[in-house]
Amino acid sequence: MRHAPRTTYQPTTHEERPLRPLLTAVPPPPDSDLLTELVQLRAQNTQLALALETRAVIDQARGMVMALAPCTGDRAWDLLVGVSQHCNIKLRMVAAALVATTEDQTLPADIQRELRRALRRLHAADRP
């Protein structure tokens, strides 16, 4: 049995063989509804991430108010929202400032003043 003579592999060069372009992906034309939805979803995702981040601090502040007052969680929430609105400061910032007092931080004067007022109103509403 005779074997065919072995040939060595000789790669062809670019000059010998013309290059053909590979398949290229062409993006579809933009769909304005899809782009609008994407922008809305990204904004919502950012808002949800921030809410998750600040939720723990707000819950801690609610617990502090519930211990100070004492009151229900809903009333503590309303009190913190009222302080936020009267001081024109985001709720998460009011909560963070209140929680920071546990680490020997001083509560800003405007938040302190409004928190005192809100606690007085809360106590007055509970009296017969």
Side-chain angles (χ1 to χ4, degrees):
M1 205 191 236
R2 276 190 141 193
H3 293 297
R6 265 190 185 200
T7 57
T8 58
Y9 174 72
Q10 297 288 329
T12 57
T13 63
H14 294 295
E15 293 84 30
E16 295 174 13
R17 182 177 59 146
L19 291 177
R20 287 184 293 171
L22 298 174
L23 293 176
T24 57
V26 178
D31 180 356
S32 64
D33 291 339
L34 188 60
L35 289 175
T36 300
E37 184 180 0
L38 178 64
V39 168
Q40 289 171 346
L41 288 173
R42 284 185 178 167
Q44 185 180 22
N45 189 36
T46 301
Q47 291 170 349
L48 288 172
L50 181 59
L52 283 174
E53 235 176 76
T54 60
R55 182 64 186 215
V57 173
I58 293 171
D59 284 344
Q60 288 172 347
R62 278 175 70 182
M64 291 173 70
V65 170
M66 289 168 65
L68 286 171
C71 64
T72 66
D74 289 340
R75 291 194 71 184
W77 173 266
D78 292 341
L79 186 139
L80 287 170
V81 168
V83 170
S84 168
Q85 290 174 343
H86 282 92
C87 294
N88 197 24
I89 299 172
K90 297 269 185 198
L91 176 60
R92 66 178 178 265
M93 302 305 284
V94 170
L98 186 57
V99 170
T101 62
T102 64
E103 298 172 357
D104 296 327
Q105 300 264 337
T106 304
L107 196 61
D110 53 343
I111 295 175
Q112 191 175 49
R113 184 175 47 254
E114 191 53 44
L115 183 60
R116 273 196 208 117
R117 288 178 186 159
L119 286 169
R120 274 192 236 118
R121 285 191 300 269
L122 184 65
H123 286 298
D126 287 343
R127 291 186 189 152

